Amino acid sequence: MKSYETNDPIEIFTEGEFILLRKYEPHCAFCDEMSKIITFKGKHLCPECIELIKAAGE
């Protein structure tokens, strides 16, 4: 179980009739990957999606 500190950012979700709290961890804006995230102009992106975007622009 993860521990939370007083000023840790959290995300709030609903699932049916439940309210879920999760410690905020940046994730890719396109695929929700949470590892190797790069922030560009306020958006979080993973290397794989960056490569897909590059390829789409060629």
Side-chain angles (χ1 to χ4, degrees):
M1 177 177 242
K2 293 183 181 182
S3 64
Y4 296 91
E5 299 296 325
T6 299
N7 290 315
D8 286 347
I10 60 169
E11 295 179 295
I12 302 171
F13 299 90
T14 59
E15 189 172 297
E17 60 187 49
F18 297 99
I19 297 172
L20 307 172
L21 303 176
R22 179 172 72 182
K23 193 171 187 174
Y24 174 74
E25 295 182 40
H27 56 276
C28 180
F30 295 106
C31 72
D32 290 329
E33 177 64 42
M34 296 178 89
S35 63
K36 301 180 185 176
I37 296 299
I38 298 162
T39 302
F40 179 73
K41 294 191 176 186
K43 303 293 182 199
H44 303 298
L45 304 167
C46 71
E48 292 80 15
C49 286
I50 290 171
E51 290 303 316
L52 289 171
I53 292 167
K54 285 181 187 178
E58 294 178 350

